[in-house]
Amino acid sequence: MRPFEYVRAADAGQAVTLVSADPDTSYLAGGTTQLDLMKDGVLGPARLVDITRLPLGGITHTGTAVRVGATTTMEELAADPVVAERLPFVREALLLGASTQLRNLATIGGNLLQRARCRYFRDPTVEACNKRNPGSGCAAMTGFARMHAILGTSEHCIALHASDVAIPLVALDTVVHVQGMDGPRGIPLTEFHLPPGDTPHVENVLRHGELITAIEVPLLPEGARSHYLKVRDRVSYEFALTSAGTALVVEEGTIRYARVALGGVGTVPWRAWAAEDVLLGAPANRDTFHAAADAALEGARTLPGTAFKVDLARRTLVRTLETTAGVEA
Ligand code: SF4
């Protein structure tokens, strides 16, 4: 592990100033991904600025939204009674997203910034990884690709965004609040992560030094039901092969409100706008749900190792919609 300097920030302004001034300086929060990557030699910052003692945690309720401080842990958010009652699929995704130990350390801000799980990205002995080593190629294209994306990919990278909780959050039009040298700004989560395109090493719209201070999560409308389903190789401590987060309001058999996002398939937390278009105004039945799933997976690009995900993702979404709507399989 490369030696690094450790600094504990006195306030958010100092933290932003320190990190913004030096491309080799990074923030440190829960560290549950970052420290692993440093030990593996994937990341090698010269200095870490610890933000865990800053007043960036806590959950406040506005009546229409939940504002979650960036250093709030996954466990704290999962335990919030308003989240349990008004955003049940957020709670489900949090509880399925990590072990209890990790949930007590990992922060919400860090969760959104977690790095790719691609084995080639995490192995610095592999030369070809455009995300870690821009312009070097992509070992996953010709190597072992199973836990990889099928939506939003490019010829330069097919790495998956592995967050669970980002799936319901992106479905809800969550806003990410950040503070930088130019002041604060709010970024819709739907625009926060960037698909790889020609620059897989650029994963989000943050400028270097911008600090996530909070996220603002709109509550579901009254009468909405929601569900998050995660399909994986084993029941715990495993990333999603496919997942889906859905929220519906159904009135007299007709869908009046629909939010759909997919996990385990996208290079970014995948908002399935096309599926929502199919659902809105349609009868809440299996035919509609299958049509929505077909729309959600349209344009999927696969390799032999990821081809199974298209049908699995369709089935995952149909099942999630059935459960959400209370329609028997
Ligand atoms: Fe690197 Fe992306 Fe290719 Fe994985 S999929 S080897 S992260 S470029």
Side-chain angles (χ1 to χ4, degrees):
M1 190 172 181
R2 181 182 166 189
F4 63 91
E5 180 189 355
Y6 171 86
V7 180
R8 185 174 290 163
D11 54 50
Q14 186 203 26
V16 170
T17 301
L18 286 170
V19 177
S20 298
D22 179 8
D24 230 9
T25 296
S26 302
Y27 294 112
L28 173 67
T32 54
T33 294
Q34 191 177 17
L35 296 180
D36 283 350
L37 292 172
M38 289 171 66
K39 289 177 192 168
D40 289 343
V42 178
L43 299 178
R47 181 165 54 174
L48 290 181
V49 177
D50 187 344
I51 59 168
T52 55
R53 307 291 176 94
L54 301 181
L56 293 175
I59 303 165
T60 51
H61 310 110
T62 67
T64 57
V66 177
R67 188 179 175 97
V68 185
T71 57
T72 304
T73 66
M74 294 172 70
E75 188 67 14
E76 288 167 341
L77 187 57
D80 183 79
V82 174
V83 171
E85 189 179 329
R86 297 292 304 277
L87 299 168
F89 68 156
V90 172
R91 183 171 191 272
E92 289 174 305
L94 286 162
L95 296 179
L96 291 170
S99 66
T100 310
Q101 292 91 335
L102 284 170
R103 292 200 305 269
N104 274 296
L105 200 56
T107 65
I108 294 302
N111 185 291
L112 298 179
L113 296 175
Q114 66 183 278
R115 305 301 303 277
R117 307 306 307 188
C118 174
R119 60 161 60 180
Y120 304 108
F121 171 73
R122 288 175 175 252
D123 181 356
T125 66
V126 175
E127 172 71 16
C129 175
N130 288 321
K131 188 179 283 295
R132 176 169 38 77
N133 190 9
S136 62
C138 173
M141 293 288 185
T142 52
F144 183 81
R146 184 165 184 270
M147 304 295 287
H148 287 76
I150 58 174
L151 293 167
T153 60
S154 77
E155 60 184 311
H156 303 292
C157 182
I158 55 171
L160 189 67
H161 195 282
S163 170
D164 286 288
V165 72
I167 304 309
L169 293 182
V170 83
L172 287 163
D173 287 333
T174 292
V175 174
V176 183
H177 294 280
V178 306
Q179 182 177 336
M181 294 301 286
D182 299 330
R185 64 177 177 136
I187 306 163
L189 187 56
T190 50
E191 299 168 17
F192 183 83
H193 297 98
L194 295 172
D198 295 334
T199 54
H201 58 290
V202 183
E203 297 182 342
N204 56 62
V205 299
L206 288 180
R207 304 172 193 128
H208 180 73
E210 276 190 317
L211 173 67
I212 298 179
T213 53
I215 62 170
E216 192 163 341
V217 191
L219 296 178
L220 287 168
E222 291 289 344
R225 290 169 50 122
S226 69
H227 184 46
Y228 181 75
L229 176 63
K230 180 176 184 177
V231 177
R232 46 189 165 170
D233 282 328
R234 56 185 182 189
V235 182
S236 71
Y237 209 67
E238 183 56 279
F239 293 94
L241 291 170
T242 58
S243 72
T246 62
L248 298 173
V249 173
V250 180
E251 292 173 353
E252 296 177 358
T254 300
I255 299 167
R256 299 299 182 195
Y257 171 95
R259 294 297 174 92
V260 180
L262 301 177
V265 291
T267 53
V268 299
W270 196 261
R271 179 77 175 266
W273 306 98
E276 293 176 10
D277 289 345
V278 170
L279 292 166
L280 271 177
N285 60 33
R286 297 201 78 197
D287 288 345
T288 298
F289 300 156
H290 278 281
D294 288 345
L297 272 299
E298 204 173 303
R301 289 195 300 188
T302 65
L303 293 170
T306 57
F308 75 98
K309 283 194 169 190
V310 178
D311 198 39
L312 187 62
R314 276 201 200 101
R315 290 164 183 257
T316 303
L317 179 52
V318 169
R319 174 70 63 87
T320 311
L321 288 165
E322 287 172 345
T323 304
T324 307
V327 172
E328 292 298 320

